[in-house]
Amino acid sequence: MPKQTIRDINWQGKRALVRVDFNVPQDENGVITDDARIQAALPTLNYLLEKGASLVLMSHLGRPKGGPDPKYSMRPIAEHLGTLLGRPVQFVGEVVGSEAEAVARALQPGDVLVIENTRFDSRETKNNPEMAAQLAKLGDVFVNDAFGSAHRAHASTAGVTDYLPGVAGFLMQKELDYLGGALDNPQRPFVAILGGAKVSDKIAVIENLLTKVDAILIGGGMANTFLAAQGYATGKSLIEEEAIDTARKLLAKGEDCIHLPVDLVAADAFAADAAHKTVAVDAIPEGWIALDIGPATIAHFANRLAGAKTVIWNGPMGVFEMPAFAAGTVAIAEILASLPNAVTVIGGGDSAAAVRQAGLDGKISHVSTGGGASLEFLEGQVLPGVAVLADLK
Ligand code: AMP
């Protein structure tokens, strides 16, 4: 069901309580080392301000242990936001409570307030109703623009809508449009590429995608378990013994659809400087480890991708953190970047990092901001932080 967005609300004089994802990396002195997530929220924030709203912004930051920890304070984030917005940004050093309520009550159109890290309150991750009610006192309408946290039912992502109407911000809407559009209404051929370490993380994704896509290309560590299920000797490669049976069943179900590597780059150790060579899937030397897909696999996958009109990619094709085993992942990124007239969607996490590392993110239709959230979305699950938003009438 499509959701209402910030365009569906008359904001004049209203306080928008916005759940943003300002969980940015900082160095040991608290200096923000990458503000992409803050920048990404600006279209939503500027729109709300232009329409006459005041803003109360809330986010989690890092992993504090259920209580205040100065290392994870939102104060420096609020200061940085002020420079980006070009207007003063107020900050209160509590998540909820009388001070936050008093400051929020006094807000005038155009004012911006950032509250303290939502995870300084241990009730946040328990979706505690009292905390949700206290948060709701800070605004008139809830806006969820934090897709990356939408797979969690927390007080600031879900519970708050028991007390306030909720709508999607532009970032959230973009995620739903691209991921939802690909799954529900794809231009065909529709190809999925899955990689990464573990099959067990992606079984539900494969099950769901098998009903929707024209082809699934599997690489990365997870491919080894499928190869083992086919009876190949995989040396010391990463294998999930307990998932071999499931892999066999998935292969039977997706016989015409699932494509596995035909060759691999194998190494004599899990190390950046290990001796390595390209081998056919039936020729991994005893004791060696498959760490990337090989050139014949890249060519095979390129063939499957030629002419694709919708592509979803989650998980690297190899241990791309080590340059010797990054070629498969980089090649897939390059193929996606060069596909003409295709909608290409990268499902966050490591594949997003790999595409950025290759400098190709600008040539991808949509790079998701949520690793875990996009995986659950691809499993066909309704994300709690999305389900609670008002349906479009
Ligand atoms: P995931 O979080 O499941 O998407 O997995 C990402 C991780 O999988 C990355 O850190 C990669 O280094 C790792 N990976 C990819 N291919 C392999 C492989 N063949 N063997 C071991 N690890 C791998």
Side-chain angles (χ1 to χ4, degrees):
M1 177 66 104
K3 296 296 177 180
Q4 288 187 29
T5 74
I6 49 175
R7 289 192 200 281
D8 298 303
I9 303 287
N10 175 0
W11 289 105
Q12 192 57 51
K14 294 210 176 75
R15 294 172 306 164
L17 176 63
V18 192
R19 178 57 159 95
V20 283
D21 176 5
F22 285 173
N23 184 25
V24 290
Q26 291 168 285
D27 68 15
E28 60 279 4
N29 301 315
V31 177
I32 299 166
T33 52
D34 179 356
D35 70 352
R37 286 179 168 162
I38 307 179
Q39 299 262 11
L42 295 179
T44 292
L45 305 186
N46 282 322
Y47 176 88
L48 293 167
L49 291 168
E50 272 162 29
K51 297 292 174 186
S54 56
L55 307 181
V56 179
L57 308 182
M58 52 182 175
S59 176
H60 75 282
L61 176 64
R63 290 178 183 271
K65 307 238 176 318
D69 178 345
K71 200 170 135 210
Y72 298 113
S73 173
M74 291 295 289
R75 186 185 290 277
I77 315 292
E79 277 166 22
H80 186 67
L81 177 66
T83 17
L84 293 180
L85 286 174
R87 64 173 78 210
V89 169
Q90 303 177 58
F91 172 75
V92 281
E94 64 180 14
V95 188
V96 289
S98 52
E99 192 196 343
E101 281 171 35
V103 180
R105 214 176 300 120
L107 292 174
Q108 298 300 313
D111 287 350
V112 182
L113 167 66
V114 173
I115 62 170
E116 192 47 288
N117 188 339
T118 52
R119 291 200 190 158
F120 282 7
D121 191 321
S122 60
R123 300 173 300 171
E124 156 78 332
T125 54
K126 300 184 184 93
N127 198 10
N128 174 278
E130 281 88 42
M131 178 178 174
Q134 283 178 295
L135 284 173
K137 285 191 187 159
L138 306 179
D140 301 309
V141 178
F142 171 66
V143 176
N144 195 348
D145 216 17
F147 177 77
S149 300
H151 58 315
R152 312 263 184 238
H154 290 173
S156 72
T157 61
V160 65
T161 60
D162 285 342
Y163 309 92
L164 284 184
V167 298
F170 290 144
L171 250 187
M172 171 70 85
Q173 187 55 40
K174 190 168 176 235
E175 296 276 2
L176 299 178
D177 282 350
Y178 273 104
L179 288 163
L183 288 186
D184 299 334
N185 198 13
Q187 294 286 313
R188 292 185 185 277
F190 176 16
V191 180
I193 310 164
L194 296 176
K198 288 171 147 191
V199 187
S200 49
D201 290 348
K202 291 184 183 136
I203 290 168
V205 175
I206 299 173
E207 297 260 14
N208 188 38
L209 290 179
L210 275 177
T211 65
K212 299 182 186 286
V213 301
D214 300 296
I216 301 184
L217 317 180
I218 297 181
M222 66 185 279
N224 300 323
T225 302
F226 283 95
L227 294 171
Q230 289 187 321
Y232 293 113
T234 50
K236 284 212 174 122
S237 302
L238 176 76
I239 298 282
E240 284 172 276
E241 293 287 348
E242 60 293 347
I244 290 182
D245 211 38
T246 309
R248 199 173 287 123
K249 287 183 189 135
L250 288 171
L251 283 172
K253 227 193 231 178
E255 213 176 5
D256 306 324
C257 183
I258 295 178
H259 297 265
L260 295 174
V262 291
D263 65 347
L264 299 158
V265 178
D268 67 353
F270 189 93
D273 59 354
H276 57 277
K277 59 182 176 186
T278 300
V279 294
V281 285
D282 60 358
I284 299 175
E286 212 184 309
W288 283 47
I289 315 168
L291 293 180
D292 196 7
I293 55 173
T297 305
I298 294 171
H300 174 54
F301 286 3
N303 271 332
R304 305 313 312 168
L305 286 163
K309 288 283 176 283
T310 307
V311 183
I312 285 185
W313 178 19
N314 192 301
M317 295 290 99
V319 183
F320 74 103
E321 298 92 334
M322 302 179 187
F325 311 109
T329 302
V330 172
I332 294 295
E334 281 168 350
I335 294 167
L336 258 58
S338 67
L339 280 180
N341 311 318
V343 175
T344 48
V345 182
I346 312 259
D350 277 326
S351 18
V355 166
R356 274 192 209 104
Q357 203 172 297
L360 294 168
D361 46 323
K363 296 193 167 155
I364 301 293
S365 312
H366 179 63
V367 180
S368 175
T369 52
S374 68
L375 260 191
E376 290 196 19
F377 200 97
L378 296 181
E379 288 175 2
Q381 294 200 39
V382 181
L383 308 183
V386 176
V388 295
L389 303 179
D391 292 328
L392 200 60
K393 290 185 200 106

